[in-house]
Structures are given as structure tokens and as C-alpha cells.
Amino acid sequence: MVTGSSSATSRTRAESPKGAARAAERRGYEVPVHERSKSAPTLRRGPRGWRGRLHTTLDLIRANPTGRVALKIFIGVLGALVVTVGVALIPLPGPGWLLVIAGLGVWAVEFHWARRLLAFTRRHVNAWTRWITRQSLPVRFVLGAIGLVFVSVVVWLSLKYSLGIDVVARALHYLATH
């Protein structure tokens, strides 16, 4: 008899507006404060999909002091690896700068200075992109040609001094012999 009344009491508490709001908060739902006083609260979840799961997982790891330190170390090492590979690929053809920015994004998960630097980078890349799109077609063509020449010189110098392959000399030799 006692167990029946206790389950009825807990059911009544869960069905009341305050009890439903508390139960929803325990399950990870976000219940606005002004909604709690109404008779039928509307329940909202946090971010959905993989981002929501990622945020939940990171919050669970950060809840433990050992997990928080381990997460900082893991994020620091992973970000350093990605940035190091990106820096190594900057002079070579490939996504060097993209990897550096991706490594900065990895660091931004845990480190405030990286979030600020990533925001600074995004602002300036967006400003540069907006400026380029406002220019006339001939100006964009000249800027593209300058960028192509710059990348070509970097590739040529990288091949010449790191691998010992002088592409320009080989091309001139080929043109002279054929």
C-alpha cells in the first residue's frame, strides 16, 4: 500500500508544472524561467544533431577535474599536430593555410586566446573577400594573376631548395633541345 501511494505521489509531482520543468531540466532540456510559472511549460532542447552530442560530451568531460585537464592536453596536442602539418604545407602546394586555420579551430574548443584569434582571422578574411568582390573584373584578374605568380614562385623555390629540382632550368633546357 505504501509503495502505491509513493508512486502516485511521484507521478503527481512529475505531472505538476514545476515537477515537469524540473524533470525536463534533469533530462537535458532547457526550460525558460518565465515558462516555469505557467501551467503548461514548453520544453526546448539544446543544439541538435552531432553538435549537440559534441557539446554534451565535452560538458560531461569538463565536469570532472581530471577529464578537464585531460581534455585540455588532448585538444592542445591535436591542435598542435594540425597546425604543424599546416605550417609544413604552406610553402608546398596544398591546403597549408586551411590546415593552420583548422588547427586554430581545434584549439578554439578549449582555449580562449585561440577563439579570439580565430574570430580575428574570420573577420579579416571576410573583409578581404568583400573588398575583392566589390572590385571590377580587371582588378580581380590582376589580383588573381599576382596570386598565381606568387604561388608559382613559392612552389618553384620549394622544389629547388628542398628537393633539388630546378623546374625552370629543366623547362629552359627542354625548350632549347627540342
Side-chain angles (χ1 to χ4, degrees):
M1 208 40 119
V2 174
T3 47
S5 69
S6 122
S7 66
T9 307
S10 66
R11 209 172 342 144
T12 308
R13 266 190 239 136
E15 290 172 0
S16 73
K18 287 183 181 178
R22 279 193 220 110
E25 286 175 339
R26 278 195 308 270
R27 289 188 185 101
Y29 288 92
E30 182 179 319
V31 181
V33 176
H34 67 283
E35 294 284 339
R36 290 182 189 163
S37 61
K38 293 183 180 179
S39 60
T42 57
L43 304 176
R44 290 186 303 159
R45 270 190 167 246
R48 293 184 170 206
W50 67 270
R51 284 186 174 188
R53 287 191 301 273
L54 179 65
H55 284 292
T56 303
T57 304
L58 291 176
D59 288 343
L60 286 172
I61 293 170
R62 288 182 188 122
N64 182 347
T66 306
R68 187 172 35 252
V69 170
L71 182 65
K72 277 199 181 284
I73 291 170
F74 176 75
I75 293 295
V77 169
L78 181 65
L81 284 173
V82 174
V83 167
T84 303
V85 170
V87 168
L89 289 178
I90 286 174
L92 301 173
W97 283 110
L98 185 64
L99 283 176
V100 170
I101 293 172
L104 195 57
V106 169
W107 276 335
V109 168
E110 269 309 300
F111 302 108
H112 184 66
W113 62 266
R115 274 191 292 277
R116 287 193 324 259
L117 187 57
L118 189 61
F120 173 83
T121 304
R122 282 182 181 162
R123 256 192 333 267
H124 283 78
V125 167
N126 286 336
W128 171 254
T129 305
R130 282 191 308 270
W131 182 81
I132 290 289
T133 56
R134 286 193 311 261
Q135 303 308 310
S136 65
L137 190 59
V139 172
R140 283 192 264 172
F141 180 74
V142 168
L143 288 172
I146 291 170
L148 186 61
V149 167
F150 176 75
V151 169
S152 300
V153 168
V154 167
V155 168
W156 170 62
L157 290 174
S158 296
L159 290 173
K160 182 176 180 179
Y161 292 111
S162 62
L163 300 176
I165 302 170
D166 192 358
V167 179
V168 173
R170 285 188 181 191
L172 290 175
H173 176 70
Y174 178 80
L175 290 174
T177 59
H178 287 89

